[in-house]
Amino acid sequence: MKTQKIAPTLFAFVSLLGCVQKSDTRPNILFIMTDDHALSAISAYNGFLAKVAPTPNIDRIANEGIRFNNMFCTNSISGPSRAAILTGKFAHVNGFYKNEGGGDFDGSQQTFPKLLQENGYQTALIGKWHLGTSPTGFDFYKVLFNKEGQGSYFDPVFETSGGLIVEEKGKYSTNVIKEGALNWLKTQRDKDKPFMLMYQFKAPHRPWEPGPGYENYLADVTIPHPATFDDDYSGRPAAKDAWMRIDGHLNRKNLKIQPPKNLTKDELSAWNSFGNEDGEFWTPDSTMSDEQRKDWKFQRYAKDYLRCVKAADDAIGEVLDYLDKSGLAENTIVIYTSDQGFYVGEHGWFDKRFMYEESMHMPLLIRYPAKIKAGQVNDDLLLNIDFAPTLLDLAETKIPADVQGKSFLPILNNLADGDFREAVYYHYYEFPYWHHVQPHYGIRTSRYKLIHFYYSMDVWELYDLENDPHEMKNLIEEQEYKTIIEDLKIQLFKLMKENNMNLSLSELRAMTDARIERLYKVEDAN
Ligand code: CA
């Protein structure tokens, strides 16, 4: 605890001068998180969508601060990534490892917002939470409540502090969340305390519904295909087995196809969701070739996705502008991230889950004018469990010994030695819903990635990211990589052991099979 207290005599002197000194000068923290925002869809990362769909407001954070190129999630789905961020612990330790049948987040456990709150910060959370149980550790919260916490783009329903339910009829999710954040900053916070505000969007999560004013953005543009758009998954059976192909598994509702009239509720639901599972083929026009149909679906999907991104980018810009105007910008750390990455056509996919680059990566941009030099780029291997210790460190709050992540404050202070971490461990547990992705774990170093798919197949994959950044060639059978594979396996099992992951494969499969009922159940309001 390092709260600075001004001595009474000094305080009296300062008061005599007519200056009102704040007793606590620790930085404010604005933690901005979107849902499913791919690095390729953030122009600061210079990916294949940077020119066609720029994000100038999010880019501001990178340009005026630091861009991290290698922040990874430990499990590429929403709830587990959020739980890892809050606790600084892997899923097998914080207990939240699946969205589907994995129960709810245990909110009685230690989280960084709670520790900040206990140490004099005013804490608030506005937007998507998606952890089932009501938020703990916040002086104020307003979180998406309907659709089991996913929330809806239109007419979203929120739970606010004290368990009050608020229906925002006729409103758009991104706008409500922006207004909530601005309102809290302007009128609700205690200006004598430093704050930590989590400003978290539903966008650009499925079903990618553009908001008012964004419906025609990109209407006259052709979205380019990524380099791996026509991947045939050779040598990668788990990739081939996944139900997340643009052509094969996008349903009609996701692509906003008007259903026939006079369907019953059940018929409408079946019609809308048709396409989710393997073999459910549909086409908007039977005269289209395979290639035309895949591109048609891609254009439709990518444009709606990018429209949702654009609205979030503008909403972020408005809050950054408020920080400038109010004089808060200098002493406020602004963090931009997303709960994990996403496929915008890479490997012919949408969605996430895999340990492959596009979904394992999280964007991370940080601005803190008082301490961080503008325009920096960093390649260290970071994990989402590092957020909690880093934010505690920035707020001069003790990091508990049981936190598994590592503070990267030395990187922000330019005091790091360039070797922050040698490798990261990843683990995905959910199967078969959604998207039929085989559970897997693995290790990634700055050059290699080794993955083991273990649930109903026993397949190892090795990638040399220097020679094959798109992970198209599985090198596991290549003789020349034999020693590298052996070394990586030793390193992987050591990393797992160090992080208290001692479960056998059959115990891991049982975790996938477990169906822990969610206590958090709400009737959909729409
Ligand atoms: Ca997500």
Side-chain angles (χ1 to χ4, degrees):
M1 170 86 175
K2 294 181 187 166
T3 308
Q4 293 171 14
K5 288 205 173 103
I6 298 174
T9 46
L10 177 59
F11 186 77
F13 176 68
V14 170
S15 299
L16 276 174
L17 289 176
C19 308
V20 179
Q21 281 283 313
K22 274 175 70 177
S23 60
D24 193 334
T25 56
R26 290 177 298 172
N28 303 306
I29 297 167
L30 173 62
F31 182 89
I32 310 172
M33 185 159 76
T34 45
D35 194 329
D36 293 358
H37 196 180
L39 270 66
S40 63
I42 298 170
S43 41
Y45 281 97
N46 304 312
F48 79 102
L49 296 165
K51 284 210 171 69
V52 76
T55 48
N57 296 297
I58 294 171
D59 289 7
R60 259 190 76 187
I61 304 168
N63 296 338
E64 296 168 8
I66 178 165
R67 183 186 90 210
F68 288 91
N69 288 337
N70 288 313
M71 163 55 89
F72 301 104
C73 56
T74 43
N75 181 354
S76 184
I77 37 176
S78 178
S81 181
R82 289 155 196 264
I85 290 169
L86 289 167
T87 59
K89 296 172 184 175
F90 284 99
H92 64 272
V93 176
N94 70 46
F96 200 90
Y97 55 94
K98 297 192 296 185
N99 281 337
E100 187 75 13
D104 299 309
F105 179 66
D106 170 11
S108 70
Q109 67 185 301
Q110 170 184 287
T111 62
F112 84 82
K114 278 188 193 175
L115 294 166
L116 290 182
Q117 191 183 38
E118 284 164 14
N119 197 27
Y121 268 73
Q122 192 181 19
T123 56
L125 161 68
I126 292 159
K128 187 161 176 183
W129 173 243
H130 202 209
L131 288 170
T133 44
S134 297
T136 51
F138 296 94
D139 296 310
F140 175 79
Y141 69 81
K142 180 176 180 180
V143 293
L144 284 164
F145 181 72
N146 57 331
K147 307 266 180 201
E148 295 200 335
Q150 287 280 11
S152 47
Y153 280 102
F154 290 96
D155 305 323
V157 181
F158 291 81
E159 177 190 336
T160 65
S161 303
L164 217 68
I165 302 301
V166 181
E167 293 186 35
E168 298 282 6
K169 287 253 184 240
K171 295 193 181 165
Y172 185 65
S173 147
T174 300
N175 291 338
V176 178
I177 293 165
K178 173 191 74 185
E179 282 155 19
L182 284 171
N183 192 42
W184 187 82
L185 285 167
K186 287 176 185 171
T187 67
Q188 287 174 274
R189 71 188 176 89
D190 174 353
K191 292 180 179 159
D192 291 330
K193 282 183 172 181
F195 68 80
M196 193 285 292
L197 168 62
M198 301 185 90
Y199 176 31
Q200 307 192 150
F201 297 92
K202 172 184 175 61
H205 191 277
R206 201 176 178 179
W208 315 299
E209 292 172 356
Y214 295 89
E215 301 90 337
N216 296 317
Y217 171 61
L218 301 172
D220 302 325
V221 169
T222 300
I223 308 296
H225 292 178
T228 57
F229 190 68
D230 292 316
D231 190 358
D232 65 1
Y233 316 110
S234 60
R236 290 155 293 152
K240 197 166 198 163
D241 210 28
W243 300 348
M244 43 196 263
R245 295 187 202 174
I246 299 278
D247 189 22
H249 308 109
L250 276 169
N251 69 39
R252 291 170 173 140
K253 187 168 199 266
N254 291 156
L255 297 185
K256 324 296 181 317
I257 308 295
Q258 279 301 312
K261 289 192 175 103
N262 306 321
L263 296 180
T264 65
K265 199 179 168 206
D266 286 349
E267 284 168 346
L268 178 63
S269 169
W271 193 92
N272 275 333
S273 61
F274 190 80
N276 281 347
E277 300 201 4
D278 218 17
E280 293 185 345
F281 173 81
W282 66 273
T283 177
D285 176 351
S286 57
T287 66
M288 282 177 172
S289 68
D290 289 355
E291 200 179 323
Q292 285 170 329
R293 187 181 58 246
K294 184 174 173 183
D295 180 60
W296 186 91
K297 289 185 181 180
F298 173 67
Q299 296 297 330
R300 195 99 168 183
Y301 152 58
K303 286 183 185 183
D304 277 348
Y305 176 86
L306 294 167
R307 286 165 182 149
C308 294
V309 166
K310 184 72 175 165
D313 185 64
D314 287 342
I316 289 163
E318 283 192 46
V319 171
L320 293 179
D321 288 346
Y322 174 73
L323 294 184
D324 288 342
K325 280 185 214 132
S326 62
L328 284 167
E330 183 69 11
N331 198 36
T332 298
I333 299 161
V334 178
I335 295 171
Y336 181 76
T337 190
S338 180
D339 56 355
Q340 79 292 301
F342 213 67
Y343 298 94
V344 191
E346 295 93 337
H347 300 288
W349 284 337
F350 62 100
D351 211 69
K352 55 245 181 179
R353 294 158 204 277
F354 277 102
M355 196 188 161
Y356 301 133
E357 292 292 270
E358 292 83 354
S359 45
M360 187 186 185
H361 266 104
M362 296 161 74
L364 178 59
L365 313 170
I366 304 183
R367 185 188 78 174
Y368 181 20
K371 293 270 172 67
I372 299 175
K373 208 166 71 178
Q376 297 181 78
V377 177
N378 178 280
D379 289 324
D380 281 307
L381 304 177
L382 306 186
L383 282 173
N384 57 359
I385 55 171
D386 299 335
F387 277 114
T390 306
L391 293 175
L392 292 171
D393 220 0
L394 280 162
E396 299 171 29
T397 300
K398 192 173 181 303
I399 302 164
D402 63 350
V403 166
Q404 293 179 298
K406 187 175 163 187
S407 166
F408 55 86
L409 182 58
I411 297 175
L412 300 177
N413 285 338
N414 279 318
L415 294 172
D417 57 10
D419 270 326
F420 184 73
R421 183 183 269 130
E422 285 195 3
V424 295
Y425 160 64
Y426 178 92
H427 204 137
Y428 173 77
Y429 301 85
E430 201 172 280
F431 188 83
Y433 289 103
W434 294 88
H435 306 293
H436 208 260
V437 172
Q438 284 278 330
H440 57 286
Y441 61 90
I443 183 170
R444 187 197 189 280
T445 66
S446 57
R447 171 140 187 202
Y448 297 105
K449 188 184 289 181
L450 182 76
I451 314 176
H452 185 204
F453 295 93
Y454 62 85
Y455 180 75
S456 53
M457 59 174 67
D458 182 13
V459 171
W460 287 84
E461 295 182 2
L462 173 75
Y463 298 97
D464 180 342
L465 300 169
E466 196 173 292
N467 296 326
D468 177 25
H470 299 309
E471 300 164 301
M472 298 291 279
K473 186 158 176 49
N474 175 12
L475 300 167
I476 204 73
E477 302 291 346
E478 304 286 323
Q479 274 308 304
E480 59 183 299
Y481 286 93
K482 204 165 171 276
T483 319
I484 288 165
I485 293 166
E486 281 166 11
D487 288 348
L488 283 168
K489 279 189 184 173
I490 292 167
Q491 214 179 335
L492 168 61
F493 294 126
K494 187 169 162 263
L495 207 49
M496 288 166 80
K497 206 172 166 198
E498 280 169 10
N499 285 293
N500 300 319
M501 168 45 91
N502 301 307
L503 299 171
S504 66
L505 287 180
S506 60
E507 285 169 321
L508 290 174
R509 289 185 196 105
M511 283 172 79
T512 294
D513 292 338
R515 289 286 171 267
I516 307 165
E517 198 182 341
R518 297 197 75 156
L519 299 171
Y520 177 84
K521 281 203 172 134
V522 288
E523 286 297 315
D524 281 350
N526 47 36

